Amino acid sequence: KKLTVAVVGATGAVGREMLKTLHDRDFPATEVRAFASARSEGVKVPYGERELTVHELKEDVFDGVDMAIFSAGGATSQKFAPHAAHAGCVVVDNSAAWRMDERCPLVVPEVNPQALDAHQGIIANPNCSTIQMLVVLKPLHDAGKIRRVVVSTYQAVSGTGQKGMEELERQVRDLFNSRDPENKVYPYRIAFNVLPHIDVFLDNDYTKEEMKMVNETVKIFDDPTIKVTATCARVPVFYCHAESVNIETEKKITPKEARVMLSQAPGVRVFDNPRELMYPMPAYCVGEDATYVGRIREDESIANGLNLWIVADNVRKGAALNAVQIGEELLRRDLVRVRDKNVFLR
Ligand code: A2P
């Protein structure tokens, strides 16, 4: 059966990983098309052993495309995803543009795949930090009902895209050569530094990244009662976000019970043995599909509390892999179609 898939933002850090993931997982596409900005017209990007020629994204490129995976920034998604849906092409969008739109399911396949059933043409991929946290919290929420989450993140520069990685590399090189490092991407030096600032600041003095974790958790768990508070920091690491997560549950869950539940949870790998110095770290989780959890221990300051340390590859599970898994779930549920093509564009 014919299945044409488009990758939008194919030259970017996530777009390239999307092509790799589609190929590595034998996604049953009969044709893959690559799109980016006009700057990239004619550029070649790898797809397995082959190369695809990148074409300029235009409003009319979605005719005959069944599914499009977007990772080209919020403005591009805002503008082009409605045109894709209008052409009958199902969009899986990695940007923040559609996540809180009531018409768009926000999906982590291990957590809320059923939300896909009501899709109207645009499906949102959650924020990288939210995805890895919820893959781990899902079984604990089911077992003990989480009341409150306190999370601090340690996020890699690849979350900013290719330009974030280039900035860290350039600054490290400049510092070793006694040159003044220039800040082009981040407001301050990222090399050998930590910035408590990801995305823009909002009126409540939280960053947009922090509020994404709060709002997306409520939507994905479909639970308006769950309380989340977040502090998001950028660290000089290329790949993988780490998170310190504290939860308070209604029903007590012991660390031992949590370890058993998590070792059976889809997409989760428990890596937790303090005596053997076993705990997940970004440098060792690069390229992995699983979300790693360790340092599972009781929060001794409250009655029903746990502390966890969660690490995942932000470009894979945090972006490309989760998007491709959504595509796989759409196929499994026979949902690769748009019922009403006029929902987003009239
Ligand atoms: P291009 O390489 O042509 O600029 P990253 O997140 O690594 O920075 O990648 C961003 C991706 O989004 C790139 O593939 C980039 O293409 C693409 N992109 C950025 N702006 C646009 C646009 N206006 N139209 C289409 N693609 C865009």
Side-chain angles (χ1 to χ4, degrees):
K1 206 176 147 206
K2 186 183 141 305
L3 181 68
T4 301
V5 175
V7 172
V8 176
T11 52
V14 172
R16 285 170 185 274
E17 194 69 26
M18 282 171 170
L19 288 168
K20 183 175 185 301
T21 307
L22 286 168
H23 181 267
D24 291 353
R25 292 173 71 89
D26 288 323
F27 193 85
T30 48
E31 188 189 340
V32 178
R33 300 182 190 169
F35 297 100
S37 78
R39 295 179 289 275
S40 301
E41 176 70 44
V43 165
K44 304 262 199 261
V45 287
Y47 175 62
E49 269 90 76
R50 295 190 298 142
E51 280 189 324
L52 304 178
T53 303
V54 176
H55 292 293
E56 181 186 353
L57 178 65
K58 292 186 186 138
E59 288 175 2
D60 63 5
V61 300
F62 298 101
D63 282 325
V65 179
D66 301 295
M67 189 190 294
I69 314 185
F70 276 61
S71 192
T76 304
S77 295
Q78 193 71 49
K79 178 160 178 231
F80 289 93
H83 290 283
H86 191 66
C89 167
V90 179
V91 174
V92 180
D93 180 40
N94 189 47
S95 81
W98 299 97
R99 286 182 193 148
M100 297 315 293
D101 191 305
E102 283 174 8
R103 296 166 295 181
C104 303
L106 181 65
V107 175
V108 182
E110 294 89 339
V111 179
N112 63 334
Q114 72 288 348
L116 288 172
D117 294 335
H119 92 77
Q120 302 194 65
I122 302 178
I123 295 141
N125 206 43
N127 175 262
C128 42
S129 298
T130 311
I131 293 174
Q132 69 181 67
M133 180 168 84
L134 297 197
V135 169
V136 172
L137 294 191
K138 164 75 174 163
L140 304 177
H141 191 43
D142 287 347
K145 192 161 190 340
I146 298 171
R147 281 203 183 119
R148 179 167 185 252
V149 181
V150 182
V151 53
S152 296
T153 69
Y154 306 68
Q155 300 185 219
V157 293
S158 51
T160 317
Q162 204 66 47
K163 57 192 181 300
M165 295 191 281
E166 283 160 17
E167 175 131 315
L168 174 56
E169 197 185 316
R170 182 169 33 75
Q171 290 183 346
V172 169
R173 213 182 319 218
D174 283 347
L175 286 163
F176 274 111
N177 289 296
S178 312
R179 284 192 299 258
D180 257 350
E182 207 188 332
N183 310 316
K184 290 189 192 161
V185 176
Y186 300 112
Y188 299 95
R189 200 180 88 197
I190 185 63
F192 309 105
N193 197 12
V194 173
L195 312 186
H197 171 194
I198 298 185
D199 208 333
V200 296
F201 278 95
L202 303 172
D203 286 342
N204 65 357
D205 290 347
Y206 280 79
T207 61
K208 202 169 165 188
E209 185 83 352
E210 289 160 351
M211 294 315 293
K212 286 175 200 164
M213 295 192 79
V214 175
N215 298 324
E216 293 179 18
T217 297
V218 169
K219 179 166 176 177
I220 295 165
F221 276 163
D222 191 20
D223 180 355
T225 68
I226 190 163
K227 304 226 180 313
V228 181
T229 187
T231 302
C232 293
R234 187 75 68 191
V235 295
V237 162
F238 284 102
Y239 294 101
C240 296
H241 294 348
E243 300 177 342
S244 161
V245 180
N246 173 269
I247 60 168
E248 184 172 1
T249 54
E250 213 160 276
K251 196 169 148 268
K252 186 167 184 73
I253 303 174
T254 67
K256 202 174 156 189
E257 288 164 345
R259 266 185 221 104
V260 171
M261 282 176 220
L262 290 169
S263 60
Q264 292 160 1
V268 177
R269 286 271 284 279
V270 177
F271 195 72
D272 187 22
N273 188 345
R275 273 151 293 282
E276 304 283 338
L277 310 189
M278 277 171 65
Y279 35 75
M281 287 175 282
Y284 299 92
C285 292
V286 181
E288 295 282 331
D289 284 352
T291 297
Y292 285 77
V293 58
R295 302 297 321 279
I296 302 166
R297 63 211 190 277
E298 190 160 343
D299 173 356
E300 296 174 342
S301 72
I302 52 174
N304 299 341
L306 284 174
N307 282 310
L308 313 149
W309 175 254
I310 301 171
V311 181
D313 188 326
N314 58 304
V315 177
R316 281 189 77 84
K317 185 56 185 167
L321 173 63
N322 198 75
V324 172
Q325 284 175 317
I326 289 174
E328 292 169 351
E329 196 63 39
L330 286 168
L331 283 170
R332 204 170 295 134
R333 291 171 183 253
D334 196 18
L335 292 168
V336 186
R337 58 184 154 66
V338 182
R339 283 190 211 96
D340 176 358
K341 295 180 180 164
N342 295 315
V343 171
F344 296 97
L345 196 67
R346 296 207 176 264

